[in-house]
């Protein structure tokens, strides 16, 4: 190869390295050692960036929400009944024993990200394997690199969320289906894998729909007789086994909750709650319904061209099958999905990049023949290498890994553990405090926020906070308006996004030493000031420190000369949490 001669080094220094690169290039069917080394370097940088971003990339609100439900299972609470969640429970149940071993740590979200990391490599292996089956080992490697360095997939796939178990299980199902001729055993394994997808997320209904559309159409385009002439009865047996295996896992889960007397809670959280008409009209217009039927015939026509270009019927079926899944999936999301989120595309990206890598590798030699600025380099390394390099730069530029955006959540959790006891309740949006029981059952994610807006769910957060003596609140999300007003009025910020029950005391208009204030959360309080200890009369008796105050109006007459007085939850004061207003100004 031209590059090999141009980059030759002294044999005594590099013979072993060159032989390893050459062996790798031969194994993966690459153009030479230069391509292999480029792929190896990009793959290594991809993994290093993944590890770096896992420790610095900001935590999405879904991550503590899932961890809170896992904490609840580990502490003996029951999902849906004791803690709200609108996901199937397999993910949370699987991680509960692991959480029990780790315990309550401020760094728990880092732990959970790294514990889920192996599933990323499962997805990467599936991507490689599908690329190998459709095109070549070379295409499989480049598909892994292009997917891993794609900004959207790179960042979403490092988060601790149900989707990062759901998507690899889906890819394993696809690998099982395309790895050989359809048999009853293969249908059984694929069905079980898809069933586990349903155990993690009911969004798997869309994945099942893709299989139901893509497999028969691909079979029709290629021809049943061309694929070995499998009989209709054999195909019917395989289909029946596949559906039965798919239903097994979600059926067992639903049956277990029904036997436990929790069917109503299970059904509401997984079905009734999630099905809300006209949920996201801003990003899901009514006319989007026409996208899928309009795109449908064009996808089938393109699949037909792919079938014609394949060398064997089995290869034609695999390529058409994967292409149809990709071609139908995105239009179906836009047409039928009520609430479109970035993580919904996780099952799509790896399959799409397999097709992209195959196409780029086919185009690359033709571009190298022209007198273009890149032609000289394309004769040494293929087009995917340049796209991978661009993606690498974009990943770094989009979210510089040296800027730590994850520590804010750690600071909050460290404050929660220090400020509260295991029996204390908290008022938060989605379970971001993780380690404490929420006084308010609804979780203010997108669907619940819309239900609040339509008055389908009662906002009783203030009432529940009073009933449970909730003295700590956190507003890192879309808190309902009434709950937000309640927190602003009855809690004081003490830093790290923590709000503690209390009131600032304001002198009366006629007497600077007399201060009247109202208590809503029944608890023990202390009167404090920013400039020293406070003395006076509280409700007509000498103030000597911590005192339980019932809901209602209270009067404090100061005999000292302190400023900026506040009645603050005594436990917070004892643990050195003071109003943020008392903090010295930060240097500019």
């Amino acid at each position: 190869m031209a590059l090999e001669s141009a980059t030759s080094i002294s044999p005594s220094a590099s013979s072993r390295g060159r032989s390893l690169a050459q062996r790798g290039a031969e194994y993966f069917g690459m153009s030479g050692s230069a391509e292999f080394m480029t792929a190896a370097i990009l793959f290594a940088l991809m993994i290093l960036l993944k590890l770096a971003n896992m420790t610095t990339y900001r935590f999405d609100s879904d991550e503590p929400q899932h961890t809170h439900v896992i904490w609840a299972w580990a502490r003996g609470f029951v999902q849906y009944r004791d803690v709200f969640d609108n996901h199937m429970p397999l993910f949370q149940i699987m991680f509960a024993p692991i959480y029990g071993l780790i315990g309550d740590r401020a760094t728990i979200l880092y732990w959970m990200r790294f514990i889920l990391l192996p599933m990323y490599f499962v997805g990467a292996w599936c991507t490689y394997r599908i690329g190998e089956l459709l095109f070549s080992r070379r295409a499989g490697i480049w598909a892994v690199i292009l997917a891993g360095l794609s900004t959207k997939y790179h960042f979403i796939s490092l988060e601790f969320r149900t989707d990062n178990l759901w998507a690899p299980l889906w890819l394993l199902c696809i690998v099982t289906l395309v790895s050989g001729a359809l048999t009853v055993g293969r249908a059984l394994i694929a069905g079980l894998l898809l069933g586990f997808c349903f155990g993690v997320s009911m969004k798997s209904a869309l994945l099942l729909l893709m299989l139901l559309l893509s497999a028969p159409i691909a079979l029709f385009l290629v021809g049943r007789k061309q694929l070995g002439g499998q009989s209709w009865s054999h195909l019917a047996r395989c289909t029946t086994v596949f559906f039965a295996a798919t239903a097994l896992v979600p059926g067992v889960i639903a049956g277990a909750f029904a036997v436990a007397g929790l069917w109503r809670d299970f059904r509401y959280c997984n079905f009734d709650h999630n099905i809300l008409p006209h949920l996201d009209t801003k990003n899901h217009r009514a006319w989007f319904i026409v996208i899928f039927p309009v795109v449908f015939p064009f996808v089938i026509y393109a699949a037909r061209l792919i079938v014609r270009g394949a060398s064997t019927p089995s290869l034609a079926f695999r390529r058409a099958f994967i292409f149809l899944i990709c071609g139908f999936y995105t239009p179906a999301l836009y047409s039928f999905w009520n609430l479109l989120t970035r993580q919904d595309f996780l099952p799509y990206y790896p399959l799409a990049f397999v097709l992209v890598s195959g196409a780029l590798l086919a185009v690359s030699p033709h571009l190298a023949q022209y007198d273009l600025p890149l032609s000289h380099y394309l004769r040494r390394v293929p087009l995917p290498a340049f796209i991978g390099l661009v993606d690498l730069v974009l990943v770094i530029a989009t979210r510089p890994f040296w800027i730590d955006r994850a520590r804010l959540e750690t600071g909050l959790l460290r404050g929660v553990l220090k400020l509260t006891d295991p029996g204390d309740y908290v008022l938060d949006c989605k379970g971001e405090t993780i380690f404490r029981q929420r006084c308010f059952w609804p979780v203010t994610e997108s669907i619940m926020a819309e239900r609040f807006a339509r008055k389908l769910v009662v906002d009783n957060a203030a009432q529940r906070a009073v009933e449970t003596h909730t003295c700590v609140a956190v507003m890192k999300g879309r808190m309902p308006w009434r709950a937000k007003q309640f927190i602003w009025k009855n809690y004081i910020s003490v830093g790290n996004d923590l709000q503690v029950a209390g009131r600032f005391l304001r002198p009366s208009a006629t007497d600077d030493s007399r201060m009247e204030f109202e208590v809503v959360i029944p608890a023990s309080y202390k009167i404090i000031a920013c400039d020293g200890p406070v003395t006076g009369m509280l409700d007509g008796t000498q103030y000597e420190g911590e005192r339980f105050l019932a809901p209602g109006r209270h009067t404090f007459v100061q005999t000292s000369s302190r400023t900026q007085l506040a009645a603050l939850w005594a436990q917070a004061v004892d643990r050195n949490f003071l109003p943020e207003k008392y903090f010295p100004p930060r240097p500019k």
Side-chain angles (χ1 to χ4, degrees):
M1 289 294 174
L3 181 63
E4 293 173 15
S5 60
T7 58
S8 61
I9 310 174
S10 139
S12 60
S14 63
S15 58
R16 292 184 62 188
R18 280 175 55 80
S19 62
L20 176 63
Q22 288 172 342
R23 289 199 303 270
E26 291 171 4
Y27 179 80
F28 291 110
M30 294 181 172
S31 59
S33 57
E35 182 182 348
F36 175 80
M37 291 303 298
T38 302
I41 291 170
L42 285 174
F43 182 81
L45 291 174
M46 177 187 79
I47 300 302
L48 290 175
L49 268 178
K50 175 73 68 173
L51 296 176
N53 282 317
M54 287 178 73
T55 61
T56 60
Y57 183 63
R58 60 105 180 101
F59 289 105
D60 185 83
S61 62
D62 285 350
E63 296 182 79
Q65 179 187 356
H66 296 316
T67 310
H68 174 68
V69 179
I70 292 167
W71 166 87
W73 277 113
R75 293 295 179 269
F77 297 104
V78 178
Q79 193 171 350
Y80 312 128
R81 183 192 67 188
D82 301 318
V83 290
F84 174 86
D85 190 51
N86 62 332
H87 302 84
M88 288 289 281
L90 184 61
F91 179 85
Q92 291 81 0
I93 293 173
M94 285 176 56
F95 281 94
I98 300 174
Y99 183 98
L101 294 175
I102 299 171
D104 296 349
R105 299 171 182 261
T107 55
I108 187 63
L109 291 174
Y110 296 104
W111 283 80
M112 303 312 277
R113 276 185 175 181
F114 278 96
I115 289 168
L116 188 58
L117 180 61
M119 293 309 300
Y120 171 79
F121 290 104
V122 170
W125 178 83
C126 291
T127 305
Y128 166 75
R129 180 64 178 149
I130 295 169
E132 179 186 14
L133 290 168
L134 265 62
F135 300 105
S136 64
R137 292 173 178 171
R138 184 190 189 195
I141 284 294
W142 284 115
V144 171
I145 293 171
L146 292 181
L149 290 176
S150 168
T151 51
K152 291 184 178 180
Y153 186 77
H154 176 86
F155 290 110
I156 300 172
S157 61
L158 63 79
E159 295 175 345
F160 180 71
R161 56 168 65 253
T162 56
D163 309 272
N164 283 324
L165 175 61
W166 173 60
L169 287 172
W170 159 250
L171 293 174
L172 284 171
C173 174
I174 295 298
V175 168
T176 302
L177 290 173
V178 300
S179 292
L182 183 62
T183 63
V184 171
R186 191 178 300 279
L188 175 65
I189 295 172
L192 284 173
L193 287 167
L194 186 58
F196 281 115
C197 288
F198 273 99
V200 173
S201 174
M202 287 307 297
K203 292 187 294 187
S204 304
L206 185 60
L207 304 182
L208 177 60
L209 177 62
M210 295 301 99
L211 293 181
L212 293 179
L213 283 174
S214 302
I217 293 174
L219 181 65
F220 173 78
L221 292 175
V222 177
R224 179 176 60 88
K225 293 182 179 180
Q226 300 294 325
L227 291 171
Q230 293 179 332
S231 65
W232 289 113
S233 60
H234 173 75
L235 293 176
R237 283 195 300 271
C238 292
T239 303
T240 302
V241 169
F242 176 81
F243 279 113
T246 299
L248 182 61
V249 174
V252 168
I253 292 172
F257 278 92
V259 169
L262 300 172
W263 170 250
R264 181 175 296 179
D265 299 315
F266 173 83
R267 187 194 67 192
Y268 172 78
C269 291
N270 283 288
F271 300 100
D272 299 349
H273 174 80
N274 291 325
I275 301 173
L276 187 64
H278 313 297
L279 176 59
D280 188 14
T281 54
K282 181 180 178 181
N283 299 311
H284 191 273
R285 307 291 185 184
W287 65 267
F288 281 13
I289 193 71
V290 306
I291 293 177
F292 186 82
V294 168
V295 171
F296 188 83
F298 293 99
V299 173
I300 295 178
Y301 179 74
R304 185 182 179 186
L305 296 179
I306 290 173
V307 167
R308 289 181 176 179
S311 57
T312 64
S314 60
L315 180 61
F317 177 82
R318 289 195 295 268
R319 288 181 178 177
F321 179 56
I322 299 301
F323 176 81
L324 288 167
I325 290 174
C326 290
F328 291 150
Y329 186 81
T330 300
L333 275 178
Y334 282 102
S335 287
F336 308 130
W337 222 237
N338 217 8
L339 180 64
L340 196 61
T341 61
R342 59 196 181 98
Q343 57 267 22
D344 293 332
F345 292 91
L346 276 170
Y348 165 79
Y349 289 130
L351 300 181
F353 278 109
V354 166
L355 299 174
V356 168
S357 66
L360 290 176
L361 289 173
V363 169
S364 189
H366 298 288
L367 292 178
Q369 296 174 3
Y370 295 97
D371 188 17
L372 300 172
L374 284 177
S375 297
H376 175 69
Y377 301 100
L378 286 174
R379 298 186 187 103
R380 304 178 181 185
V381 290
L383 194 56
F386 296 96
I387 295 177
L389 183 61
V390 172
D391 286 341
L392 176 69
V393 173
L394 288 175
V395 167
I396 297 174
T398 303
R399 296 288 189 276
F401 61 85
W402 54 87
I403 300 176
D404 189 354
R405 294 180 173 88
R407 66 176 183 270
L408 295 176
E409 195 72 32
T410 306
L412 168 65
L413 297 180
R414 189 173 288 112
V416 168
L417 289 173
K418 182 180 177 182
L419 175 60
T420 60
D421 293 328
D424 293 332
Y425 282 83
V426 297
L427 172 57
D428 62 13
C429 296
K430 295 180 65 174
E432 55 267 31
T433 53
I434 296 180
F435 312 117
R436 299 295 179 252
Q437 192 171 0
R438 302 174 68 246
C439 70
F440 186 45
W441 185 73
V443 167
T444 53
E445 39 75 55
S446 301
I447 302 175
M448 188 67 79
E450 183 64 22
R451 286 186 174 274
F452 280 126
R454 299 184 191 183
K455 302 188 185 305
L456 298 174
V457 176
V458 177
D459 176 10
N460 64 345
Q463 177 186 341
R464 290 291 301 150
V466 174
E467 292 172 353
T468 56
H469 298 197
T470 299
C471 293
V472 177
V474 177
M475 287 197 298
K476 291 193 66 171
R478 290 169 289 188
M479 187 71 75
W481 177 246
R482 287 180 56 201
K484 193 179 294 186
Q485 288 181 311
F486 176 79
I487 293 172
W488 286 338
K489 187 176 180 181
N490 298 290
Y491 292 80
I492 294 174
S493 174
V494 294
N496 283 331
D497 295 310
L498 291 167
Q499 311 273 338
V500 169
R503 286 286 188 90
F504 286 106
L505 308 186
R506 291 180 173 82
S508 67
T510 57
D511 187 353
D512 289 344
S513 63
R514 182 181 179 85
M515 306 170 194
E516 292 187 354
F517 62 98
E518 186 176 1
V519 168
V520 175
I521 307 293
S524 295
Y525 291 85
K526 285 187 175 181
I527 309 296
I528 60 173
C530 65
D531 52 357
V534 177
T535 59
M537 303 290 288
L538 178 58
D539 294 335
T541 60
Q542 187 69 35
Y543 171 71
E544 296 177 346
E546 177 180 338
R547 187 182 300 185
F548 182 85
L549 299 180
R553 296 196 67 80
H554 299 268
T555 302
F556 181 73
V557 180
Q558 181 182 197
T559 57
S560 54
S561 57
R562 306 304 178 189
T563 58
Q564 286 190 321
L565 273 63
L568 194 68
W569 185 39
Q571 185 169 304
V573 179
D574 294 340
R575 299 181 183 185
N576 299 317
F577 285 86
L578 299 175
E580 206 168 20
K581 189 180 288 188
Y582 291 0
F583 297 173
R586 296 178 180 177
K588 295 183 179 180

